[in-house]
Amino acid sequence: MSLLSMVEQAIKSCKAEQAKINGSIQLYREILQALTPQSKIDFEESDSADDAVTDTDTSPGEKEDIELLERALEKALRIRTGTEPPKKDSTKLSAHQREPGTTGIASKEGMQASAASKNNQTTIRSNSKSVSLDRKEHKRPGSSVSSTLSSKSSAGYKPGQCKTTSNRNMIQNCLVSSTGTMHHQAVRKSQQAGFHDLGQLHTSALHSKNRTIRSNVLSGNDLGKAAAISTPSSNNTAPVSHTVGSGAQQNGIASDQTAKWKSLRRKQNRLWDKVAALQRKPVPGRSRFMERMRATFPKDWPRGSPDQTRALVDRLTRQGHDQHCQTKELLAKQTPGAATELDGKSLERLQMAAAELQNFAGQVKQEWEAWDRWRPEGGCLCPSGANYVLGDEMIAPLPPTITYTTEAELRELEKLRMRVAVLQQEIYLEQALMDSLSPQLSSLLPGPGCPKISVLRDVYSLLGEGGQRFPAIVLDSETD
Amino acid sequence: MRRSKAAVSVEVKQVIGALCRLLAATGVEAVPAPETFRRAKFGGGHEVEDQFWQLLLSILQTAGIVSSEACAQLGGEHRKLVAAGLWQTGYHADWMCGRDGGEGGEGGRFSSRDLLLALGWLLAAGTLEKLLTQRVQQLDKTLLTPAPLTPQLSTELQLDSASLRKLQWLIGCLRHQGRTLLSMQEERTRLLHAVLFATFPSPVSSSDQSSTVLRKDCVCVQQLCDLLEAYLNWKQVEIVLWTWMDSVVDCHLTDPVVEKPTHAPNGSTRVCHHGNRGLEKLEDVLLRLPTGQMSQKGQRRGRGDADDRGGGGGERLQGGSDTTSLPPLLSSLPSLPSLPQVYRARLQTDRSVKHSSHPAEGPCSGAKAPEELPASEAAQLLLQTEALLLERRDRQRLANRMQLQEMVGRLDELVLIPP
């Protein structure tokens, strides 16, 4: 591959990186949009629920109350589900998904009708029962997510804790969507009723909050629709989604989703902390096993792995090149005047370093050759795209966590990282350039006729100034 | 008090179950049941072996140890692919050196136990962590990954004005791309900080619209949490597995074994299909280094010499002592301080900043990356790296300039005036 195409490829990789960054920016923007409150609401599908529009300007205090409300509802559901653990697994693994779903909705509709204007305990109970029926129905779309995870493991072992934890979170998920379902069912019917019932479940005074709760309805629509779209088994949510068509999105369910997202991320942080703490503990059994296995290897088997040897070779090459440049610099400084003692000392130091490097390189070379001798078909000692590591260290086992306190710190960090990456690329390119141009340089000058001045200029600028500045070459016709 | 064998085996099975769950969570396919592991220890039949071939292959492919190039080269030959992948991690086993088209190992000594040992090696060599890192990168969109800007190897360039002009233009273009990247990175970091900040509980209850993006991210983060939990579970019981693996090794060693081959199948030095380029480069560089005399060995020799050196012996380089002395020498080499490739950022508000753990001893540069470090330290590291790199680059350019000036100076007619 010629140097030109190498640089072109470098440009392509930069552009790919830019596309990736763009993608991240897009994603973060969307997440932030979903998380932050907006003063203006956009309607996806407007409907006859115009009175809902006036509910959009809810005060922060009311929003807070709504959040509390939702959390209390969650809690109630959790208590409910705590009484029905054995059923969970069976419903999860069962194949019949539709019938309970439709019956759930049918019963719900019936209940809504009966609960038209009464606030009594029975309707509350039946409502919560319908909610729990919904839960099961909705759990299946949620559970298919976790089942795809566990289906990757082969049949034959009983899934243990994994499912239970995902179970719990699915319940939360379903709570969110089930309240959504309930809500948008009620939109078609009496809007007030269901929510009065819900309100009775909680201690907060809801009469003033009717309107805001009703606004929950409308956000639930969108959520229900989103649930229908994003969950894999769409058939299940089909009876639910037919009612989606009403209006605006509003707080409630969405804020619950936000809360869930936040709590998940915090949970992730906690888990990473634990992982980091565990990483620090050494595992003696592991190293002992490795030693025992190594004892069965042939005598000349090198330690480490081919990747490590390769990384070492790269490092030594760069080190050697750097030392070479240092020596040249030092020698050039020396020749004009008398050699000072300091210069002599530093030259000595350089020579010692060079000798060390040679010695070291000898060992590494032996290792490389040993690897090569035993190399099977398909093994490779040369840097491939994926494995090539420009840095000098071994790849860290798990991504470490960098903690920062101000935004400025993070920005500076990222800026530096990018600068270092770009600089490394530049150095690599310049070195490659030098490697490919040097053998031809000598042929450039004493050629017959006029040496190509422009070529000389270009080469000087590329090799000596990084292509940024150009020298002037003057033809000196007077020879003195 | 001695535990009954049954209790021990139940525990081992549970631990293997935890391992299987973890492997499945990281995206490895074809994870066999825990019972299969026990059968493998005592030499299960062909289906057990097959399952393990599949498992090993899946692990090697998912972790990226076996490159796609190798996969294409070897086609569907699982055995060879697995052997190549295991070699890549530094493992040796007798069955790996079997002749092509021959018996799978030495006269029937090969059994599923060998595959089990290979799996143990992979686990001990950190493949699980690699798998985990890759899966985490897929799931967590707020990780900070480096820009993989590494160009590939190259060969020659024509020295004519047209291609040089094009090269100059390309390099200018590249510089512009670099600047664009920097500014885009700024924007991204700003947004990332906002997202990380939003994970803290806020007094104002938020969004007015739900979104699919949030939902999808919730799913991903949920999977991530599950993965991390599986990993934690595994780590807590890992030691039981190693004890069991010890017993597997015991079984393996007590079997009468054929004498180990002390030399490779083919005695001559083979050359990778890339041509051992890395080693050639090293040798070229070493030639240019000053030796005992202060002679101007900086002059570059022609490429011709390099060619016959590339294949043959390195007599000129002193053979070192045994390779166990490598680690101390390594630390004496100055190395670039650098950050690991992928990391996650974490905003801390009122909590007191934790002190980063002191790095454990590591073979290479003397410092393994700690698991958690404050941004100021990381920034320091990067500043140091940048300074070193700049120095290196400027030194390289200076050397080039001097060489060119010297060359032009030998001509009588031309005078080079540097910018």
Side-chain angles (χ1 to χ4, degrees):
Chain A
M1 170 184 348
S2 77
L3 199 61
L4 286 176
S5 46
M6 185 176 106
V7 182
E8 276 170 353
Q9 207 174 49
I11 294 178
K12 251 187 234 151
S13 70
C14 280
K15 290 204 172 137
E17 182 68 18
Q18 282 171 19
K20 218 169 72 170
I21 295 184
N22 252 338
S24 308
I25 291 179
Q26 195 76 5
L27 179 69
Y28 296 158
R29 281 215 180 112
E30 284 178 9
I31 291 183
L32 283 172
Q33 211 177 33
L35 287 177
T36 56
Q38 289 174 349
S39 49
K40 160 173 102 80
I41 307 296
D42 18 334
F43 295 91
E44 280 195 25
E45 293 136 338
S46 68
D47 200 49
S48 54
D50 339 72
D51 40 345
V53 182
T54 55
D55 299 343
T56 59
D57 314 315
T58 50
S59 63
E62 292 185 355
K63 285 186 185 173
E64 207 177 356
D65 286 333
I66 293 168
E67 234 192 325
L68 280 170
L69 200 151
E70 295 299 320
R71 285 210 198 107
L73 187 60
E74 262 185 60
K75 211 173 172 184
L77 253 168
R78 242 178 267 142
I79 295 169
R80 271 223 138 231
T81 63
T83 60
E84 327 168 338
K87 279 200 214 162
K88 279 185 224 163
D89 284 8
S90 57
T91 50
K92 255 194 200 244
L93 301 171
S94 71
H96 55 277
Q97 297 180 5
R98 290 202 205 131
E99 297 97 15
T102 42
T103 49
I105 292 183
S107 59
K108 214 181 352 158
E109 295 204 354
M111 279 163 209
Q112 288 292 354
S114 66
S117 47
K118 294 216 174 119
N119 304 339
N120 44 17
Q121 288 301 96
T122 47
T123 46
I124 293 166
R125 256 185 268 121
S126 51
N127 272 341
S128 17
K129 211 198 313 177
S130 68
V131 166
S132 62
L133 277 174
D134 268 353
R135 168 182 55 80
K136 272 192 233 151
E137 168 214 333
H138 282 282
K139 208 193 317 172
R140 248 158 273 116
S143 70
S144 52
V145 173
S146 68
S147 57
T148 42
L149 195 66
S150 44
S151 66
K152 280 196 187 159
S153 48
S154 75
Y157 79 87
K158 208 96 169 73
Q161 305 154 266
C162 221
K163 266 196 174 172
T164 335
T165 42
S166 48
N167 208 347
R168 224 167 281 135
N169 291 310
M170 283 310 138
I171 293 171
Q172 277 199 359
N173 203 355
C174 304
L175 162 67
V176 164
S177 38
S178 65
T179 41
T181 321
M182 257 194 76
H183 292 173
H184 68 237
Q185 289 291 337
V187 161
R188 296 298 167 135
K189 328 255 168 182
S190 52
Q191 298 197 356
Q192 313 273 348
F195 304 101
H196 279 283
D197 298 341
L198 262 187
Q200 292 294 322
L201 277 173
H202 310 291
T203 52
S204 51
L206 289 182
H207 301 291
S208 55
K209 312 247 189 292
N210 280 350
R211 297 169 125 220
T212 56
I213 295 170
R214 202 190 330 147
S215 63
N216 290 351
V217 172
L218 307 159
S219 66
N221 295 337
D222 191 55
L223 196 68
K225 190 169 73 145
I229 294 170
S230 62
T231 54
S233 63
S234 48
N235 284 335
N236 214 5
T237 51
V240 167
S241 56
H242 78 274
T243 54
V244 174
S246 30
Q249 305 90 19
Q250 253 288 1
N251 215 314
I253 311 308
S255 80
D256 194 59
Q257 193 184 29
T258 313
K260 181 183 164 210
W261 182 86
K262 288 188 189 184
S263 71
L264 270 179
R265 290 213 78 97
R266 286 199 290 275
K267 180 178 175 194
Q268 188 215 135
N269 278 343
R270 286 195 300 273
L271 284 172
W272 271 114
D273 276 344
K274 287 191 201 157
V275 168
L278 270 184
Q279 282 284 103
R280 291 183 210 129
K281 290 197 212 139
V283 187
R286 201 157 141 166
S287 35
R288 193 174 56 231
F289 177 79
M290 275 190 107
E291 286 309 317
R292 287 189 78 183
M293 291 310 296
R294 280 217 183 91
T296 67
F297 295 168
K299 292 266 181 319
D300 62 343
W301 193 259
R303 263 185 107 84
S305 73
D307 289 343
Q308 286 180 21
T309 310
R310 188 208 305 150
L312 262 182
V313 165
D314 286 334
R315 206 169 117 200
L316 285 175
T317 314
R318 268 177 284 140
Q319 188 67 30
H321 185 80
D322 199 37
Q323 278 186 3
H324 166 62
C325 292
Q326 275 179 338
T327 318
K328 266 179 128 175
E329 195 179 337
L330 204 56
L331 286 172
K333 266 198 284 180
Q334 270 190 339
T335 39
T340 63
E341 176 142 346
L342 201 62
D343 283 344
K345 274 213 192 110
S346 35
L347 201 62
E348 242 181 70
R349 234 184 310 126
L350 271 180
Q351 282 176 356
M352 267 171 40
E356 223 178 79
L357 195 72
Q358 296 250 9
N359 197 11
F360 201 24
Q363 294 181 12
V364 176
K365 187 163 187 290
Q366 279 188 341
E367 261 191 23
W368 177 293
E369 283 172 351
W371 286 124
D372 219 9
R373 271 201 299 276
W374 293 97
R375 188 172 51 83
E377 244 181 280
C380 184
L381 274 169
C382 301
S384 65
N387 297 329
Y388 191 57
V389 178
L390 260 191
D392 284 335
E393 84 297 351
M394 290 192 296
I395 302 179
L398 281 183
T401 306
I402 296 200
T403 56
Y404 70 98
T405 44
T406 62
E407 184 181 349
E409 274 186 0
L410 187 66
R411 280 162 71 163
E412 160 125 15
L413 188 65
E414 280 297 280
K415 196 165 64 161
L416 280 171
R417 249 172 37 121
M418 187 52 87
R419 282 205 327 231
V420 167
V422 168
L423 197 53
Q424 277 175 334
Q425 186 190 46
E426 200 179 342
I427 290 181
Y428 185 86
L429 274 176
E430 286 186 11
Q431 200 160 336
L433 199 59
M434 182 62 184
D435 286 342
S436 39
L437 283 182
S438 314
Q440 304 179 39
L441 280 180
S442 44
S443 65
L444 185 58
L445 291 176
C450 165
K452 313 167 198 77
I453 296 183
S454 62
V455 171
L456 204 55
R457 234 173 116 251
D458 288 343
V459 167
Y460 185 92
S461 118
L462 276 174
L463 290 181
E465 304 285 343
Q468 280 171 305
R469 286 179 295 270
F470 290 83
I473 302 192
V474 175
L475 197 64
D476 188 8
S477 48
E478 289 178 29
T479 45
D480 33 284
Chain B
M1 91 178 159
R2 265 189 10 213
R3 292 198 309 193
S4 65
K5 274 204 160 171
V8 171
S9 69
V10 162
E11 191 185 8
V12 167
K13 197 162 162 186
Q14 282 178 348
V15 168
I16 294 183
L19 175 65
C20 291
R21 276 194 295 278
L22 178 60
L23 282 173
T26 56
V28 170
E29 295 157 358
V31 181
E35 181 56 30
T36 322
F37 284 71
R38 196 185 66 81
R39 286 165 63 193
K41 174 178 175 183
F42 300 107
H46 272 291
E47 350 94 61
V48 171
E49 286 178 20
D50 274 338
Q51 287 191 14
F52 271 90
W53 282 119
Q54 291 299 320
L55 174 66
L56 284 174
L57 188 61
S58 178
I59 291 180
L60 288 171
Q61 279 178 327
T62 314
I65 297 175
V66 169
S67 66
S68 46
E69 202 181 75
C71 282
Q73 188 187 355
L74 291 176
E77 301 191 44
H78 294 174
R79 190 168 293 226
K80 286 194 183 162
L81 270 174
V82 170
L86 286 173
W87 172 86
Q88 205 78 34
T89 59
Y91 183 65
H92 169 83
D94 299 333
W95 56 267
M96 280 161 62
C97 313
R99 301 276 179 277
D100 294 339
E103 61 300 7
E106 300 118 42
R109 286 279 164 241
F110 175 77
S111 71
S112 54
R113 194 183 306 141
D114 296 282
L115 292 176
L116 196 56
L117 287 176
L119 178 68
W121 175 270
L122 279 181
L123 292 177
T127 313
L128 263 183
E129 278 78 14
K130 226 187 229 183
L131 286 169
L132 195 75
T133 308
Q134 286 192 342
R135 186 81 182 128
V136 163
Q137 276 181 280
Q138 285 172 3
L139 290 175
D140 190 355
K141 308 290 191 305
T142 61
L143 277 183
L144 292 161
T145 52
L149 301 177
T150 325
Q152 296 289 325
L153 305 170
S154 81
T155 55
E156 307 293 320
L157 174 75
Q158 301 280 6
L159 252 193
D160 60 75
S161 57
S163 50
L164 275 179
R165 278 297 147 89
K166 179 146 192 223
L167 189 63
Q168 266 179 345
W169 186 82
L170 283 175
I171 289 194
C173 192
L174 190 63
R175 193 171 299 124
H176 171 71
Q177 297 295 326
R179 278 192 225 120
T180 315
L181 271 177
L182 266 171
S183 61
M184 287 177 76
Q185 183 86 300
E186 281 259 350
E187 173 72 9
R188 179 174 177 258
T189 312
R190 189 181 65 81
L191 286 170
L192 176 64
H193 169 77
V195 169
L196 290 177
F197 187 68
T199 48
F200 289 93
S202 59
V204 179
S205 151
S206 32
S207 117
D208 287 352
Q209 44 173 331
S210 59
S211 78
T212 39
V213 168
L214 210 57
R215 177 172 292 273
K216 276 191 214 147
D217 200 47
C218 278
V219 169
C220 285
V221 180
Q222 183 57 55
Q223 285 183 357
L224 185 61
C225 290
D226 292 339
L227 178 64
L228 288 174
E229 277 171 355
Y231 183 68
L232 283 170
N233 287 338
W234 156 249
K235 283 299 265 189
Q236 283 161 355
V237 295
E238 190 183 359
I239 193 130
V240 176
L241 182 84
W242 295 119
T243 318
W244 184 71
M245 273 291 172
D246 258 347
S247 70
V248 177
V249 177
D250 288 335
C251 279
H252 175 75
L253 290 178
T254 50
D255 266 0
V257 284
V258 184
E259 192 172 301
K260 301 197 288 264
T262 48
H263 58 83
N266 29 355
S268 62
T269 312
R270 287 190 289 176
V271 166
C272 175
H273 62 277
H274 283 140
N276 265 357
R277 210 171 283 142
L279 210 55
E280 277 178 21
K281 269 175 104 166
L282 177 62
E283 299 205 6
D284 286 344
V285 163
L286 288 174
L287 278 179
R288 296 192 264 163
L289 284 182
T291 52
Q293 263 54 40
M294 242 172 55
S295 57
Q296 288 266 343
K297 280 230 171 154
Q299 294 306 324
R300 191 146 174 16
R301 300 201 191 161
R303 278 232 166 223
D305 291 342
D307 288 335
D308 13 82
R309 254 189 319 272
E315 291 87 59
R316 118 187 37 234
L317 298 172
Q318 296 155 15
S321 49
D322 64 311
T323 49
T324 52
S325 62
L326 220 48
L329 267 183
L330 260 170
S331 51
S332 70
L333 262 195
S335 67
L336 272 187
S338 43
L339 275 191
Q341 301 229 309
V342 179
Y343 67 92
R344 36 184 307 271
R346 163 101 158 253
L347 175 58
Q348 276 182 334
T349 48
D350 2 314
R351 292 167 52 192
S352 56
V353 178
K354 278 196 269 186
H355 295 293
S356 62
S357 63
H358 286 291
E361 13 70 274
C364 258
S365 48
K368 217 157 76 160
E371 294 80 27
E372 185 167 321
L373 68 113
S376 49
E377 265 185 47
Q380 270 307 104
L381 268 176
L382 283 170
L383 278 171
Q384 280 177 20
T385 313
E386 196 188 17
L388 278 173
L389 284 175
L390 276 174
E391 214 184 296
R392 194 181 276 182
R393 183 194 72 175
D394 292 340
R395 206 177 286 140
Q396 194 173 297
R397 286 187 183 171
L398 181 64
N400 292 346
R401 284 203 293 276
M402 281 178 356
Q403 186 181 1
L404 284 169
Q405 276 180 324
E406 193 189 9
M407 260 171 48
V408 177
R410 278 190 255 126
L411 295 177
D412 288 333
E413 299 159 348
L414 294 178
V415 175
L416 187 96
I417 304 171

